[in-house]
Amino acid sequence: MDAAALKLRRSRRDMLVQALLVVFVVLVIWVAISTAHTNLTELNMTSGFGFLERATGWSYSFSLIDRSIDDSYSRTLLIGFLNTLFLGLICIVLSTILGFAIGTARDARQLGLNALATVYIQLFRNLPLILQLVFWYAVLIHMPGPRQAFTMGEVAFLSNRGLMLPGFNVSPTVVLAMFAVIALLAVVIFRQKSLQPVQKLLLWLVSGSGAMLLLAWIFAPADSSIFSIPAQQGLRFRGGIGVPIELVAMILAITLYGSAYIAEVVRGGLNEVPSGLTEAGKALGLSSRAIWFHVKMPMALRTIMPPLGNQWIFIMKATTLGVAIGFSDLFYIVSTSITQSGQTLELMGLLMLSFLLINYSLAQLVNFMNARLALKGH
């Protein structure tokens, strides 16, 4: 038998093995679905997604869009999905900024700065996340009431009712539209190859701020300011943006925990930069700041991005801990929906599909950024 015949035989054998594997997987899935359907029928439990149109009849702590107890399960699940996405993105941004700062301090030659960064990392990385979450929640709910609230320039207040911040005088839907416009501007501006990174960042900040002001001016109620400033009035606050205690605790715990891991990722990436490049920068008369921006960080980013992407995905999955303190993330909404409707398999399937969609999108974003950072020929 000649080489061509052997190659054809091997190819057919491989195709047969793959076909048998596909058939086996399909059979396993079919048996699982059939068994689940039989068991549900014996228990007189209905299956399907018809319950999504029914009203829930219960409320929860936080929503980015208008809500009521008459909302359908589909709208309530959408609110939970938006809450998870909102919380996850805020924690990813804050953790990344803080992680880069702590990681850089960990790489610094100043002993005091290095020691502080080390203590921060060891403290927040080695304590379980749920323990930190419960701790911060306990601290926040024992804060003073509105009359004794901590104030920051009479424009922001922190009390046991939550955090009150100044904001635009628009509906939550318009705020979501602002975030979408900012994200779109980021995609457009950061794809421009003719601009330096600092120029891209400045252009994005200026254009994003302008777009937000324009949207606020268009959609703000007539005869009122585009800004809403919180003001204390008796036992409550009027105006501003109210951030519930549960959301503050979630952001605080996940950001501190996630930034400790990201700091170690950044430190590892900076250590991978050959010392010869740093010495060359010094020989050229570059300052320490210029060496960090133009030599060390651009080279370190190629090492940092893959593990950083894993941390982003972990942070997104960590939002499911909101159920421990009553924050209405998607996992909390699904858990309550299961208790109220009994549609366990359908709701768990939607929950898994949602996280698969979010985390797969994050992974694709990281792959795209890796491809853009890769050196040609490597």
Side-chain angles (χ1 to χ4, degrees):
M1 187 177 292
D2 57 8
L6 285 172
K7 185 177 180 182
L8 179 62
R9 184 177 178 181
R10 187 166 57 247
S11 175
R12 288 176 176 172
R13 185 184 59 199
D14 292 343
M15 290 182 64
L16 179 62
V17 171
Q18 293 177 42
L20 289 174
L21 182 61
V22 171
V23 171
F24 175 75
V25 171
V26 171
L27 280 175
V28 169
I29 294 174
W30 180 80
V31 169
I33 294 175
S34 178
T35 304
H37 184 265
T38 302
N39 291 337
L40 289 173
T41 303
E42 291 177 353
L43 294 171
N44 293 322
M45 295 176 65
T46 59
S47 59
F49 293 93
F51 74 97
L52 291 175
E53 300 304 318
R54 298 203 311 261
T56 58
W58 42 270
S59 187
Y60 35 88
S61 62
F62 177 75
S63 172
L64 290 170
I65 58 179
D66 296 333
R67 70 182 191 276
S68 77
I69 62 172
D70 296 325
D71 286 339
S72 63
Y73 277 95
S74 57
R75 182 177 175 82
T76 306
L77 290 171
L78 173 64
I79 289 172
F81 180 81
L82 292 176
N83 289 352
T84 289
L85 205 56
F86 178 70
L87 172 62
L89 291 178
I90 285 180
C91 291
I92 284 173
V93 171
L94 295 180
S95 298
T96 303
I97 294 172
L98 190 57
F100 269 75
I102 299 295
T104 302
R106 185 83 167 82
D107 186 60
R109 293 182 181 276
Q110 291 85 354
L111 184 60
L113 193 61
N114 193 307
L116 283 175
T118 302
V119 170
Y120 176 92
I121 292 170
Q122 297 304 327
L123 177 63
F124 291 108
R125 189 180 61 170
N126 294 322
L127 291 176
L129 177 55
I130 190 166
L131 177 60
Q132 295 187 43
L133 175 61
V134 173
F135 170 77
W136 289 118
Y137 182 65
V139 170
L140 290 169
I141 60 175
H142 287 90
M143 297 286 284
R147 285 184 176 176
Q148 296 81 30
F150 296 108
T151 177
M152 289 157 273
E154 297 296 328
V155 295
F157 301 89
L158 178 62
S159 70
N160 58 8
R161 300 288 179 87
L163 182 63
M164 298 300 300
L165 296 171
F168 291 113
N169 190 15
V170 294
S171 67
T173 307
V174 177
V175 175
L176 288 177
M178 288 179 176
F179 281 117
V181 171
I182 291 173
L184 182 62
L185 286 172
V187 172
V188 173
I189 292 173
F190 283 93
R191 287 175 65 89
Q192 301 300 317
K193 296 180 180 178
S194 59
L195 299 175
Q196 295 294 322
V198 176
Q199 293 175 318
K200 293 177 183 178
L201 182 61
L202 289 175
L203 180 59
W204 178 60
L205 290 174
V206 172
S207 60
S209 301
M212 291 174 68
L213 287 171
L214 179 62
L215 287 172
W217 179 71
I218 293 173
F219 292 101
D223 301 328
S224 62
S225 171
I226 63 172
F227 296 106
S228 178
I229 308 297
Q232 189 176 352
Q233 190 175 61
L235 294 176
R236 60 193 181 95
F237 294 96
R238 293 192 64 183
I241 300 174
V243 184
I245 284 293
E246 293 81 7
L247 180 56
V248 177
M250 289 292 292
I251 292 174
L252 198 56
I254 296 176
T255 297
L256 293 175
Y257 188 80
S259 63
Y261 277 91
I262 291 176
E264 280 299 88
V265 170
V266 172
R267 184 189 64 84
L270 291 173
N271 284 346
E272 290 293 321
V273 178
S275 59
L277 293 177
T278 307
E279 297 299 329
K282 291 179 180 176
L284 291 172
L286 296 178
S287 64
S288 298
R289 184 179 178 183
I291 290 174
W292 191 90
F293 275 107
H294 300 292
V295 179
K296 293 193 76 173
M297 187 49 67
M299 293 298 297
L301 277 177
R302 295 174 175 85
T303 306
I304 291 173
M305 276 314 298
L308 181 61
N310 290 335
Q311 291 303 318
W312 288 352
I313 291 174
F314 168 79
I315 288 172
M316 190 59 75
K317 290 189 288 189
T319 59
T320 55
L321 290 178
V323 71
I325 59 172
F327 175 70
S328 52
D329 69 304
L330 184 58
F331 187 74
Y332 174 89
I333 294 290
V334 166
S335 301
T336 309
S337 299
I338 289 174
T339 304
Q340 298 293 329
S341 69
Q343 307 291 145
T344 306
L345 294 179
E346 294 84 351
L347 286 164
M348 291 303 293
L350 290 174
L351 178 64
M352 288 189 287
L353 189 63
S354 300
F355 274 102
L356 185 63
L357 175 65
I358 294 172
N359 291 330
Y360 180 77
S361 301
L362 268 179
Q364 292 305 306
L365 174 64
V366 173
N367 290 339
F368 171 76
M369 295 172 73
N370 272 330
R372 295 298 299 268
L373 289 171
L375 294 173
K376 293 182 179 178
H378 289 75

